[in-house]
Amino acid sequence: MAGGRCFALGPGLWQLQAAVAPGQGTDDTLTARCAFHFCLDNSGSMGRNTKEAQDCFAQLVEHATAPCSMTVFASNAVTLSSSLTTPAEVRNLMLPRQGQTDISSGVARCLELIMEQEAGSAVATGSAGAVHHVLFLLSDGAHNVGPGPAQVFPRLAREIRSKAPQLRLSVVVVGISSSSSTCHGMLGRAELETVPLTRLEPIYYANSAAEMSTVLGELEVGILGLVGGRVARVELPPGTEGGFVRVPGEAAVGSMEVFVGPGGGQLELTLQAATAPSQLVVDGVKLTLTEDAFDEHVATEAVKRLIASLRERRVGSRTFDGSAAVAFLEPCIRAIANHQDAIFAASAEATKKDKRLTPAARVRQHKALAGAQHGARQLRNQLTEAVTFHSNDSAEQARFLTGASSKYGAKALRRAAGHGVSHFEAYVQSVAATAQELRLALRQDLLGHLARLQPEQRAVVARAMGSMPHASEDCLQRLIRDAQMLTPESCDVETATLLDSGCLVEALRKALGDCAASVSFVSLLSQWEQLAEWVQHASDREQIRAAGVGSEYELLMYVGMLGFPIKVGRSAATQMDPFQLKISFVHASPADSASICCAMQSEQTVSAPEGDEVKDLLLLVDPDCPNASGLALKCKLFDVYTSVVLCRDLHMYTGTPMRIALHAHALMSVVGSAGAATESQLEIALRICYSARKHFESEPWQKKEYERLLTQMQDWDELTTKEGVMDPSQLFLALTVFCDSERFADAVAPPAVLMALNETLARKARHRFKSQAGAEAHKAKILAAECVRGFLGITEDSAPQAAATDEPEPARADVEAGCQRDVNLDTAHFDFENFTLESLVPTLSAFSFAIALHAAMEQRGGGWSNLESDMERGRPAYKDVLAVLQSERPAMELHGACDFDKAHQQRILATMTAQAMLCSDSSERRELPDVREADTLSQIAVRLRMDTYSGRVAMKLQDWRAVAVDVTAARARAADIGQFEGMIGCHAHGLCKGSFWGLWDAARHDGYGGEKVRAFLSKANQDFANKYGSKDCASASKKR
């Protein structure tokens, strides 16, 4: 090669690229000579692992081209041989006796040997630096004898620079177990190494000796990749200003040694200079450099290499300057970010010009935008991690150096996108198979729409289709006239082509006007068009692969369907129980899942027309496209999407309950809001119910489950988690999808409403106090009781007092009968009224919606089956239902819904709150007294005061036991040996705790050699005698 190129990496920084041929240099006969020097830990902790490591190192000798050496260190260092040329010679070396760990002496001895060989090589060849020396340092423990590496390694580095300035030395570190000192290995690399081997790991680390052979095997693979390479010297021409950068923040150097892989390779160098360099000297050969345009990929890789060098310095250097490193790299990262912003702006402009991207274009756009956005952000995260890292743990340091602990960019969606190929192939097959079935389903939905058109609407469709070239006039007229008699399978080729073309969809949109199916505000496609796109672009696996789809998430960007934007609140528990999620809003403007997934993965912000950012969609069986949307949702790909929405992971789908959970929570979000609902909100609620019923048709066991929940409400049974109610939203999904039930009135009667309200409040209280207690159940109970005491005005003084220590307690029933029963409500301590009323608004609103929906169905007749049919016909067919829901929805007030006098509302609210807080667990909520009864609050007050009384009695017993121990000890000290043995009985461990330790204290009072000690120990078990049988044992081990 005659030259290379360079470009500006930042102010005063240049990235250089130059290709180097295998023999390029001043001496074409120069052969790459390499010697390996093994510095092996032979301390006692290594045991037989020293021999195993010796055998593993023997394999590496085959790859050296100069004599190798083996040095072992324990309490001191010994060179076993300096002329090893075969694996057998290494294996036959006899290991000396093991001892402590003196890492410094081992490395110092190796370097003495290396410099001796270097001097001999210089005499033989007439030039220094002819041999590339590689030092392998393996240890399983920290340095524990002799001067430490921190003192020795810098001195050794100075000696190398003064005595062998041309020495070409690389250091490879192997750490075994967390007892090894990763920082000492990195210090050795920082101080001693002159030729970094960037193709190898900074450290080869094994968590235990059992993993050592595996790690050394990985090292051998890395060494194999270097065989045939050589060291080259790079420098700037004389008189050229500037220097090469090895580590950001450290001084630049005028020349340096770099390793060139087998067959030559591309040199990647970072130069600090005011102006662009025009030449580079490699092994004495001048190469011309041409200034080039900014190359984002090369710049990113350069910054990554510089950050990797920072990691080593962070762990090994004693003088690491993080601020200087940041000041050096930040301009480089900013240059990359500016370049990426320009790419992003260009892509965004292209998107504005053509919103209707094809699936393949959507995937290509994502890949372009993902690359444009993530690079600079990821580099900044890596830099921050490298600069701020701090740990004295060797295992953690090793993970940091090798990148195993990296967390930057580790979002769940991105992690999940790399899952196994077998999953992906199954999803591709499912998408392609679904596409085949969707073609017929889409035809069926179109025929259904045509069959339901009014005469004037059919005329509009005919006029709109009159000029279309897709079909003859006869075919069009026959299709419009006989749509109800046609089936997707019986259509002739001309009719099928017309149905598949999409022209009819445009004509229907004109005919239906405002009642036409909505379109995605992102892709501008209707549900039918979105699914038709699926059929057109994903009908077979090869077609999908040809579009560049390579992961599950890219598949989600490739095909999709319309859904309503939702905001999902997740917790860790959502992965196990999907009903632990929360949905805070559902917007009426639909979006398509493919576009939203593309935006999410590319980290673009998509805002709904209503104003909120859209990250998730609620996918429903769509009455505008019932057959096709229902079929599409059965595709395995939407199992993946459901998993993403609930858990932000591609592979956490556990079945239909996850989809039903989304339906239930979305319904509560829509109908549970305070105030009058809009017509669009009510329509969403109906669509959610419609979709849930369609899911129940295909999953009969789920239908039975929700019928059971409705029966529980109708029978006024318990509604706790133990009874299968994972979340109250399930109750209202059951109440609405089966609101045409004969016993609906029982499910909304005051007892049923009150039970649902109490259960909702209990769960709210449990969540409140568990959050305050850091999920500690016992602490949460204490906090709840303190809160109830506060707002009921129950003080310590109002609770019964315990009797004196020497007096027995009366019967508990008698104490309880005499306990105070009054309360003094205090909303200043805790506003229980506001807490309860606010908590119950969504539940009361949901009951109101269900009652109104039931009334609408009663008026029109036919129940849900009739409403489903009308929803498929279009909004005009069910506008009467929307009108009833909007104008005749009852205003549910607590006293009316639960059948109590409003004058007593404050007391009842206090009772509901107290009962919910004190009995928040399922096991505590069985057969609770009616909160509407005045005596229920008195019972709660008595319970709290009796709890205080019980605590006082417990303290009294504790005091009594302490007195009993003192009395027992005093009696035992005064007793003679016969009386003492009688007090012990046949076995000391048969005594109560107080008597046992009281007698033992008395025995020790006479001294450990006394009769009472011997008598006590003779009747105690052997373990006690071993632990406490002497003064030394007792003082060292007794724990009371």
Side-chain angles (χ1 to χ4, degrees):
M1 174 180 172
R5 67 170 185 147
C6 68
F7 61 86
L9 186 60
L13 296 173
W14 304 89
Q15 187 61 27
L16 280 55
Q17 281 188 307
V20 180
Q24 184 172 327
T26 54
D27 183 1
D28 290 338
T29 63
L30 180 66
T31 57
R33 299 183 61 205
C34 182
F36 293 163
H37 305 276
F38 305 108
C39 188
L40 180 59
D41 188 345
N42 191 40
S43 60
S45 60
M46 283 288 288
R48 289 179 293 181
N49 294 319
T50 304
K51 180 61 179 174
E52 184 177 351
Q54 178 186 1
D55 292 341
C56 292
F57 279 154
Q59 297 296 117
L60 300 181
V61 174
E62 287 187 333
H63 310 306
T65 55
C68 302
S69 70
M70 171 74 78
T71 299
V72 295
F73 60 88
S75 300
N76 51 50
V78 178
T79 298
L80 303 183
S81 176
S82 59
S83 58
L84 300 168
T85 57
T86 66
E89 290 176 350
V90 178
R91 292 191 180 96
N92 291 334
L93 294 174
M94 298 296 293
L95 294 173
R97 186 175 181 178
Q98 295 179 323
Q100 292 182 287
T101 307
D102 187 357
I103 296 175
S104 301
S105 67
V107 174
R109 182 68 194 98
C110 275
L111 288 176
E112 289 175 11
L113 181 62
I114 289 171
M115 286 193 287
E116 289 173 7
Q117 290 188 355
E118 180 69 10
S121 174
V123 172
T125 62
S127 64
V131 179
H132 178 202
H133 300 274
V134 183
L135 171 61
F136 294 86
L137 173 62
L138 183 149
S139 177
D140 79 331
H143 178 92
N144 57 23
V145 62
Q151 290 77 41
V152 174
F153 287 178
R155 174 177 57 79
L156 293 175
R158 290 192 294 271
E159 290 181 9
I160 290 174
R161 287 193 290 271
S162 62
K163 296 180 180 179
Q166 303 298 317
L167 178 66
R168 294 175 164 181
L169 175 64
S170 300
V171 179
V172 178
V173 179
V174 183
I176 310 298
S177 83
S178 59
S179 298
S180 62
S181 292
T182 300
C183 59
H184 288 159
M186 292 305 103
L187 177 63
R189 287 173 62 96
E191 295 286 352
L192 307 175
E193 189 171 62
T194 62
V195 183
L197 296 176
T198 56
R199 298 189 182 189
L200 298 182
E201 294 286 354
I203 183 172
Y204 287 84
Y205 180 81
N207 286 306
S208 64
E211 298 178 10
M212 183 178 70
S213 59
T214 302
V215 169
L216 292 177
E218 294 171 359
L219 172 59
E220 184 178 6
V221 171
I223 294 297
L224 281 171
L226 303 178
V227 172
R230 68 183 185 87
V231 178
R233 183 178 181 82
V234 295
E235 54 193 336
L236 294 173
T240 304
E241 294 183 359
F244 299 102
V245 178
R246 277 195 185 277
V247 181
E250 296 185 3
V253 295
S255 64
M256 65 180 185
E257 313 286 345
V258 296
F259 187 82
V260 180
Q266 184 101 313
L267 291 182
E268 301 280 354
L269 307 169
T270 303
L271 182 73
Q272 194 168 23
T275 59
S278 59
Q279 289 184 324
L280 177 69
V281 180
V282 180
D283 283 340
V285 176
K286 289 185 178 181
L287 303 177
T288 301
L289 299 176
T290 304
E291 188 172 353
D292 205 349
F294 187 86
D295 188 321
E296 180 195 337
H297 174 72
V298 174
T300 300
E301 293 303 314
V303 173
K304 285 181 179 179
R305 285 192 295 273
L306 292 171
I307 292 175
S309 67
L310 271 186
R311 290 196 184 99
E312 293 189 36
R313 287 294 193 270
R314 186 71 186 88
V315 173
S317 176
R318 298 172 300 158
T319 58
F320 176 76
D321 188 347
S323 59
V326 171
F328 181 94
L329 284 174
E330 180 55 34
C332 305
I333 297 175
R334 194 181 309 121
I336 295 172
N338 292 338
H339 182 77
Q340 292 171 347
D341 287 343
I343 294 176
F344 178 80
S347 297
E349 187 62 30
T351 302
K352 289 179 182 178
K353 293 179 181 178
D354 184 10
K355 288 191 175 182
R356 292 198 177 190
L357 295 175
T358 64
R362 206 158 37 231
V363 173
R364 287 195 300 271
Q365 183 196 56
H366 153 68
K367 290 181 177 180
L369 294 182
Q373 286 189 305
H374 296 309
R377 191 175 308 161
Q378 183 179 9
L379 290 174
R380 281 198 175 92
N381 289 336
Q382 291 183 26
L383 175 59
T384 300
E385 183 189 36
V387 171
T388 59
F389 176 81
H390 178 75
S391 175
N392 293 321
D393 179 75
S394 290
E396 184 63 29
Q397 289 173 343
R399 286 192 292 270
F400 168 69
L401 289 167
T402 57
S405 64
S406 297
K407 294 181 181 178
Y408 38 82
K411 295 182 179 178
L413 298 179
R414 213 166 274 284
R415 283 200 312 269
H419 274 248
V421 175
S422 59
H423 284 293
F424 174 63
E425 288 299 326
Y427 295 132
V428 170
Q429 176 62 37
S430 179
V431 167
T434 302
Q436 299 292 336
E437 298 179 60
L438 273 176
R439 190 183 302 276
L440 295 178
L442 288 168
R443 291 177 188 173
Q444 187 175 350
D445 287 332
L446 265 183
L447 289 171
H449 277 295
L450 289 171
R452 291 189 290 265
L453 289 177
Q454 299 298 319
E456 61 274 13
Q457 292 174 325
R458 293 186 183 187
V460 174
V461 172
R463 286 196 299 271
M465 293 293 296
S467 59
M468 301 300 296
H470 291 84
S472 66
E473 182 70 22
D474 290 342
C475 175
L476 180 60
Q477 292 299 328
R478 186 173 64 255
L479 179 59
I480 295 175
R481 184 184 64 248
D482 302 329
Q484 68 272 18
M485 294 184 290
L486 294 175
T487 63
E489 298 83 3
S490 65
C491 293
D492 56 43
V493 174
E494 189 177 17
T495 303
T497 302
L498 181 59
L499 288 170
D500 295 342
S501 68
C503 299
L504 271 172
V505 176
E506 290 293 334
L508 281 170
R509 187 173 290 145
K510 292 179 180 179
L512 296 174
D514 293 339
C515 299
S518 300
V519 298
S520 164
F521 70 83
V522 185
S523 69
L524 303 182
L525 300 177
S526 67
Q527 186 77 277
W528 193 96
E529 291 168 321
Q530 197 77 43
L531 296 177
E533 182 185 76
W534 184 337
V535 174
Q536 182 182 354
H537 295 276
S539 57
D540 64 71
R541 288 180 290 180
E542 294 307 318
Q543 188 180 18
I544 296 171
R545 293 193 187 94
V549 177
S551 70
E552 290 96 325
Y553 212 90
E554 288 177 0
L555 197 56
L556 283 169
M557 299 178 221
Y558 191 69
V559 296
M561 59 186 297
L562 266 60
F564 292 108
I566 56 176
K567 184 174 182 180
V568 181
R570 304 167 188 84
S571 67
T574 307
Q575 296 183 354
M576 300 300 295
D577 177 10
F579 285 96
Q580 294 299 312
L581 67 91
K582 295 296 177 187
I583 294 179
S584 55
F585 69 67
V586 183
H587 285 322
S589 301
D592 63 288
S593 62
S595 296
I596 296 301
C597 286
C598 184
M600 280 280 291
Q601 188 71 345
S602 304
E603 295 193 7
Q604 296 182 78
T605 299
V606 177
S607 296
E610 292 85 351
D612 294 296
E613 183 179 355
V614 179
K615 294 184 177 180
D616 300 292
L617 298 178
L618 173 67
L619 302 182
L620 303 174
V621 180
D622 191 343
D624 295 326
C625 205
N627 297 292
S629 60
L631 180 62
L633 280 172
K634 293 178 183 177
C635 178
K636 289 182 180 179
L637 182 65
F638 288 111
D639 297 347
V640 174
Y641 185 74
T642 303
S643 176
V644 170
V645 172
L646 265 80
C647 309
R648 281 295 181 261
D649 194 297
L650 290 176
H651 300 283
M652 294 301 296
Y653 185 73
T654 55
T656 307
M658 294 184 91
R659 298 190 182 195
I660 300 300
L662 286 169
H663 282 64
H665 279 285
L667 181 64
M668 278 298 294
S669 176
V670 174
V671 305
S673 56
T678 63
E679 184 174 313
S680 59
Q681 287 178 314
L682 296 172
E683 185 171 1
I684 291 173
L686 291 180
R687 284 173 174 263
I688 292 171
C689 296
Y690 173 93
S691 179
R693 287 178 61 85
K694 293 300 180 183
H695 277 293
F696 290 161
E697 286 179 12
S698 58
E699 300 281 356
W701 66 276
Q702 277 285 291
K703 181 179 180 180
K704 290 180 180 178
E705 176 67 16
Y706 281 80
E707 287 176 336
R708 181 187 62 79
L709 293 178
L710 180 63
T711 302
Q712 283 180 234
M713 295 186 72
Q714 292 169 339
D715 294 342
W716 307 343
D717 287 341
E718 302 290 346
L719 301 174
T720 66
T721 306
K722 195 169 184 179
E723 277 69 39
V725 183
M726 306 310 296
D727 188 85
S729 62
Q730 290 179 280
L731 301 175
F732 299 105
L733 184 64
L735 199 59
T736 51
V737 299
F738 302 125
C739 66
D740 52 355
S741 165
E742 292 182 359
R743 293 183 57 203
F744 176 82
D746 293 336
V748 294
V753 174
L754 185 59
M755 293 195 76
L757 294 174
N758 282 333
E759 183 62 28
T760 300
L761 197 60
R763 296 186 190 219
K764 179 95 173 177
R766 180 167 66 243
H767 176 75
R768 175 189 179 89
F769 292 111
K770 285 192 76 172
S771 298
Q772 292 179 4
E776 293 183 24
H778 179 67
K779 185 177 179 181
K781 288 291 185 184
I782 294 174
L783 292 174
E786 289 176 353
C787 181
V788 175
R789 289 174 191 276
F791 72 76
L792 292 186
I794 296 176
T795 62
E796 293 281 330
D797 296 340
S798 65
Q801 298 292 329
T805 303
D806 56 348
E807 294 180 9
E809 291 296 321
R812 186 176 179 86
D814 295 339
V815 177
E816 188 170 330
C819 186
Q820 287 183 228
R821 305 173 66 83
D822 61 305
V823 296
N824 182 21
L825 299 180
D826 181 9
T827 55
H829 184 273
F830 177 76
D831 191 352
F832 60 88
E833 292 182 81
N834 190 52
F835 170 77
T836 303
L837 291 174
E838 283 189 359
S839 299
L840 298 182
V841 164
T843 306
L844 290 170
S845 296
F847 271 112
S848 173
F849 174 81
I851 291 170
L853 182 58
H854 174 75
M857 290 193 178
E858 287 287 302
Q859 291 178 21
R860 72 194 329 257
W864 256 111
S865 59
N866 185 34
L867 179 55
E868 286 175 347
S869 178
D870 286 344
M871 290 180 71
E872 292 168 8
R873 291 170 61 88
R875 186 181 298 177
Y878 63 97
K879 62 182 181 180
D880 59 313
V881 177
L882 294 173
V884 171
L885 291 175
Q886 197 164 22
S887 62
E888 300 181 25
R889 186 172 171 184
M892 298 282 286
E893 293 192 24
L894 183 63
H895 67 280
C898 299
D899 190 25
F900 63 80
D901 189 340
K902 192 172 183 179
H904 301 147
Q905 180 159 298
Q906 186 185 44
R907 170 180 55 79
I908 292 173
L909 288 175
T911 308
M912 292 176 72
T913 307
Q915 192 181 82
M917 290 180 173
L918 297 175
C919 305
S920 59
D921 295 335
S922 295
S923 58
E924 302 168 324
R925 298 199 57 76
R926 291 183 173 276
E927 300 180 2
L928 291 174
D930 193 332
V931 294
R932 296 171 295 185
E933 298 292 334
D935 189 54
T936 303
L937 188 59
S938 298
Q939 292 177 28
I940 292 173
V942 170
R943 168 187 164 177
L944 291 171
R945 291 187 172 102
M946 289 301 294
D947 286 344
T948 302
Y949 168 73
S950 298
R952 289 170 174 167
V953 172
M955 289 293 296
K956 169 187 171 180
L957 292 175
Q958 186 176 348
D959 294 341
W960 185 87
R961 291 191 188 100
V963 171
V965 170
D966 293 339
V967 170
T968 300
R971 288 180 55 207
R973 288 176 188 174
D976 58 29
I977 187 61
Q979 293 171 329
F980 183 79
E981 289 178 341
M983 294 177 71
I984 298 173
C986 59
H987 198 277
H989 294 283
L991 298 168
C992 68
K993 181 178 178 181
S995 298
F996 180 93
W997 290 108
L999 291 171
W1000 175 242
D1001 285 341
R1004 288 189 308 148
H1005 186 264
D1006 289 351
Y1008 275 93
E1011 292 180 318
K1012 290 182 180 179
V1013 167
R1014 291 197 297 273
F1016 190 94
L1017 293 176
S1018 68
K1019 295 188 178 184
N1021 61 34
Q1022 189 61 43
D1023 289 338
F1024 182 88
N1026 292 338
K1027 190 172 184 180
Y1028 296 101
S1030 69
K1031 186 173 183 179
D1032 292 339
C1033 290
S1035 62
S1037 63
K1038 184 174 181 183
K1039 187 176 182 180
R1040 290 180 55 195

